[in-house]
């Protein structure tokens, strides 16, 4: 029973978050874009949601901040011995201090 309540709560939170984000996009668009561009029109809520999804696809993706790659690198780091970690640190620092090729 707790699992169903928790899932319903998360689903409700997601729906509310999408609604709030869509409203914020709509308000920002209607405030900024018509003032900047002469021929620009205001948008409604459905267009704001579409713009939000489009920007998420183009710029953010849908995997979160680091996706699965961040966990893979962390597991690799944790499996290293202290000597391997120190070697990696010195190699990383030496690589970042290289001249840029004048």
């Amino acid at each position: 029973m707790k699992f169903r309540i928790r899932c319903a709560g998360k689903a409700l939170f997601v729906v509310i978050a999408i609604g709030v984000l869509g409203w914020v996009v709509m308000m920002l668009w209607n405030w900024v874009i018509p003032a900047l561009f002469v021929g620009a029109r205001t948008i409604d809520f459905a267009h704001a949601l579409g713009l939000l999804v489009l920007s998420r696809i183009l710029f953010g993706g849908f995997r979160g901040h680091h996706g699965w790659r961040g966990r893979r690198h962390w597991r690799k780091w944790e499996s290293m011995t202290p000597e391997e970690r120190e070697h990696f640190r010195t190699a990383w620092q030496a690589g970042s201090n290289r001249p840029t090729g004048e």
Side-chain angles (χ1 to χ4, degrees):
M1 189 61 150
K2 288 183 182 182
F3 177 75
R4 287 184 182 177
I5 293 172
R6 194 175 330 140
C7 286
K10 287 180 182 179
L12 181 64
F13 177 75
V14 167
V15 168
I16 291 172
I18 289 171
V20 168
L21 285 174
W23 181 80
V24 168
V25 168
M26 182 181 71
M27 288 293 133
L28 285 173
W29 180 279
N30 291 338
W31 178 48
V32 173
I33 298 301
L36 289 177
F37 302 106
V38 175
R41 301 181 324 190
T42 60
I43 61 173
D44 59 353
F45 185 72
H47 287 103
L49 285 179
L51 186 63
L52 184 65
V53 169
L54 180 64
S55 65
R56 188 74 175 144
I57 290 170
L58 293 176
F59 303 116
F62 287 101
R63 285 188 291 171
H65 294 288
H66 295 290
W68 57 273
R69 293 180 296 162
R71 289 188 292 270
R72 181 182 62 179
H73 292 306
W74 181 251
R75 275 187 264 139
K76 189 173 181 178
W77 177 261
E78 284 184 331
S79 67
M80 287 182 181
T81 63
E83 293 83 20
E84 290 173 331
R85 289 181 186 178
E86 188 59 36
H87 176 64
F88 179 79
R89 282 190 191 115
T90 56
W92 182 267
Q93 289 172 349
S96 63
N97 292 334
R98 274 186 261 162
T100 57
E102 299 175 56

